[in-house]
């Protein structure tokens, strides 16, 4: 899917930015591969390798968590927990079974699930869309566009599984096979979830197109 | 009324506008702080001692600290065990107390006996002592016959 990049939205994570980071991280010549860094982390608890992995994945993970929850605190906490798990249980990652990013997304989704489970009562009263404090410009940009807000509302209102599959597929450019592994489903089930999510969104966002025409 | 739906292209365009904020700059620092704290709290005694004994100075410091702790403990424990807390009285102190009591009893008994003892006859037998029984007399006679007077006196 083609991604558009806002000139004024520099602090935001765009799809092309994600792709650039992925290219450097997973196949670039200049940076060590995930496997190298994980070996250093597992064998010697190499803090530098850990920092490099965090730098490589923090924006992607945070963006996914935020798109799923639209809540800064939840996103930050869940990404922190994901990295803590990476630090503590790096030996559990098996490169033969999947990429590091797949493993990290799996941990992240579990953390978000745990958060929702433990904060069910709080969230029952409704969530509030929150942003990192350091980005007032980003908040303004996001709040000023009613169209973007409508898209975010429509995505958040999707059933959990449809939402997860759509976000991982659309914004993280993960193949359906990896999404299936992350969500513990078959590839076919993921395909159906994405298709259903898109159909729902087409209905929910139809009014935006009517407004334009 | 026909329901209007977006096309795939229109939906993709809308979805591409859904940008998310970047992770906060403090995230990495917070994670590193947390793992450092957890590492510190999980430090076991072996690790503590290995770091403690890593230099001679710290070893000497530890030895002095240990001696100080033992000294303070001994100083504090002593009066409590013997004076204030009866449950901690040790066996030696019990023996001592018993011995003192027994000695006092013996002295008292001796005084009492001295005051109440009747005058003894020449053979050292009290006058009001009951006469020996028939069986005792028979035994005495038997012994006289067998052993003789001298031997009996010796016995």
């Amino acid at each position: 899917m083609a991604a558009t990049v806002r000139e004024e939205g520099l602090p935001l994570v765009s799809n092309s930015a994600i792709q650039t980071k992925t290219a450097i991280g997973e196949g670039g010549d200049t940076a060590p591969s995930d496997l190298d860094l994980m070996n250093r982390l597992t064998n010697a608890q190499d803090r530098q390798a850990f920092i490099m992995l965090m730098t490589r994945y923090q924006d992607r993970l945070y963006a996914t968590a935020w798109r799923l929850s639209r809540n800064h605190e939840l996103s930050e906490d869940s990404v922190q927990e994901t990295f803590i798990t990476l630090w503590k249980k790096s030996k559990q990652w098996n490169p033969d079974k999947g990429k590091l990013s797949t493993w990290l997304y799996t941990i992240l989704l579990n953390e978000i699930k745990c958060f929702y489970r433990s904060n069910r009562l709080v969230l029952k009263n409704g969530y509030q869309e929150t942003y990192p404090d350091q980005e007032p410009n980003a908040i303004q940009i996001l709040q000023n566009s009613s169209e973007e807000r409508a898209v975010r509302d429509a995505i958040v209102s999707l059933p959990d599984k449809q939402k997860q599959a759509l976000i991982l597929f659309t914004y993280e450019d993960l193949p359906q096979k990896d999404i299936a592994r992350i969500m513990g489903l078959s590839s076919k089930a993921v395909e159906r979830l994405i298709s259903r999510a898109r159909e729902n969104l087409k209905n929910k966002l139809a009014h935006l197109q009517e407004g334009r025409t | 009324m026909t329901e209007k739906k977006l096309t795939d292209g229109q939906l993709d365009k809308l979805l591409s506008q859904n940008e998310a904020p970047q992770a906060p700059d403090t995230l990495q620092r917070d994670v590193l702080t947390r793992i450092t704290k957890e590492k510190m709290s999980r430090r076991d005694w072996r690790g503590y001692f290995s770091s403690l004994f890593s230099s001679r100075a710290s070893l000497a410091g530890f030895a002095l600290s240990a001696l100080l702790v033992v000294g303070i403990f001994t100083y504090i424990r002593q009066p409590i065990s013997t004076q204030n807390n009866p449950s901690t009285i040790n066996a030696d102190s019990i023996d001592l107390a018993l011995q003192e009591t027994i000695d006092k009893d013996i002295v008292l008994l001796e005084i009492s006996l001295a005051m109440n003892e009747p005058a003894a006859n020449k053979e050292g037998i009290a006058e009001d002592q009951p006469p020996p029984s028939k069986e005792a007399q028979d035994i005495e006679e038997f012994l006289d016959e067998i052993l003789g007077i001298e031997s009996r006196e010796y016995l």
Side-chain angles (χ1 to χ4, degrees), chain A residues 6 11-13 47 55 58-59 67 80-81 88 134 147 152 155 171 198-199 202-203 206 209, chain B residues 3-6 8 10 12 14-15 17-25 28 30 34-36 38:
Chain A
R6 276 170 173 266
L12 301 175
V13 178
R47 197 172 271 243
T55 308
Q58 65 175 11
D59 284 341
R67 282 191 174 105
Q80 273 194 26
E81 291 300 328
K88 284 183 183 171
Q134 69 204 45
E147 201 170 86
R152 289 200 304 276
I155 292 173
Y171 297 107
R198 288 179 64 85
E199 285 305 309
K202 280 178 190 173
N203 288 328
Q209 200 57 31
Chain B
E3 189 183 351
K4 287 186 178 178
K5 277 170 60 173
L6 295 175
D8 282 333
Q10 287 168 333
D12 286 342
L14 283 173
L15 286 177
Q17 292 173 9
N18 180 23
E19 292 171 342
Q22 278 186 343
D25 295 337
Q28 278 193 23
D30 292 345
R34 278 185 61 187
I35 61 172
T36 307
E38 287 187 18

Side-chain angles (χ1 to χ4, degrees), chain A residues 93-205:
Chain A
W93 177 59
N94 184 353
D96 298 331
K97 287 188 177 175
K99 289 185 287 189
L100 179 65
S101 58
T102 309
W103 189 57
L104 291 175
Y105 281 120
T106 309
I107 298 168
L108 180 73
L109 292 192
N110 281 332
E111 291 296 339
I112 293 172
K113 252 186 245 173
C114 288
F115 183 88
Y116 274 117
R117 212 175 292 146
S118 58
N119 294 276
R120 199 178 292 276
L121 283 175
V122 179
L123 294 167
K124 202 174 162 185
N125 298 327
Y127 65 90
Q128 192 179 0
E129 188 169 287
T130 55
Y131 303 87
D133 293 336
Q134 69 204 45
E135 295 178 354
N137 292 333
I139 296 170
Q140 285 168 6
I141 290 162
L142 288 163
Q143 284 179 340
N144 286 343
S145 167
S146 61
E147 201 170 86
E148 283 183 16
R149 178 122 197 158
V151 172
R152 289 200 304 276
D153 285 341
I155 292 173
V156 164
S157 68
L158 289 172
D160 280 346
K161 286 198 183 298
Q162 286 185 26
K163 188 166 53 180
Q164 289 171 9
L166 180 90
I167 287 171
L168 292 173
F169 182 72
T170 309
Y171 297 107
E172 301 305 319
D173 286 329
L174 295 179
Q176 289 180 5
K177 188 184 68 177
D178 287 355
I179 298 171
R181 188 168 289 145
I182 291 166
M183 296 179 67
L185 301 169
S186 66
S187 295
K188 207 74 185 157
V190 169
E191 192 182 338
R192 280 197 296 271
L193 281 173
I194 294 168
S195 173
R196 246 179 280 152
R198 288 179 64 85
E199 285 305 309
N200 280 338
L201 287 179
K202 280 178 190 173
N203 288 328
K204 286 176 192 246
L205 297 173

